[in-house]
């Protein structure tokens, strides 16, 4: 795996984990009972994006280590997902 593919794999993993972590323990202004005028009730009540981004970074690093280990070990290769038989053996 080249450095570019490793960075791309980490970036994809980071964003996937971020979108999974983002709604966890989400409290909207409507749920908190304090809607700021001019904002929708579904807007976040607190600013926790930085904390969730830090948490995402650590979780994505673990996910990346597992995925990079699978890719570099050769357990799963491109030929394993060639269902149409386009690649010759």
């Amino acid at each position: 795996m080249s450095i570019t593919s490793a960075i791309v794999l980490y970036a994809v993993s980071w964003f996937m984990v971020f979108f999974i972590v983002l709604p966890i323990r989400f409290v909207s202004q409507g749920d908190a009972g304090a809607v700021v005028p001019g904002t929708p009730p579904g807007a976040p009540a607190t600013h926790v994006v930085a904390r969730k981004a830090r948490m995402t970074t650590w979780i994505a690093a673990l996910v990346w280590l597992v995925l990079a280990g699978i890719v570099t070990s050769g357990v799963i290769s491109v030929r394993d997902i060639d269902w149409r038989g386009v690649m010759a053996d």
Side-chain angles (χ1 to χ4, degrees):
M1 177 183 325
S2 68
I3 189 72
T4 305
S5 59
I7 291 170
V8 168
L9 180 63
Y10 182 77
V12 169
S13 301
W14 192 92
F15 278 103
M16 288 182 70
V17 170
F18 184 65
F19 288 130
I20 292 170
V21 168
L22 200 56
I24 295 175
R25 295 198 300 187
F26 175 77
V27 178
S28 67
Q29 291 180 8
D31 294 339
V35 178
V36 177
T39 61
T46 59
H47 303 285
V48 293
V49 176
R51 184 179 63 171
K52 289 187 178 189
R54 282 192 303 272
M55 185 173 27
T56 297
T57 302
W58 289 107
I59 295 170
L62 294 174
V63 169
W64 180 83
L65 282 173
V66 170
L67 293 175
I70 290 171
V71 169
T72 56
S73 70
V75 173
I76 298 174
S77 67
V78 175
R79 294 187 191 280
D80 293 330
I81 58 173
D82 181 27
W83 298 302
R84 294 186 299 158
V86 177
M87 296 180 176
D89 288 329

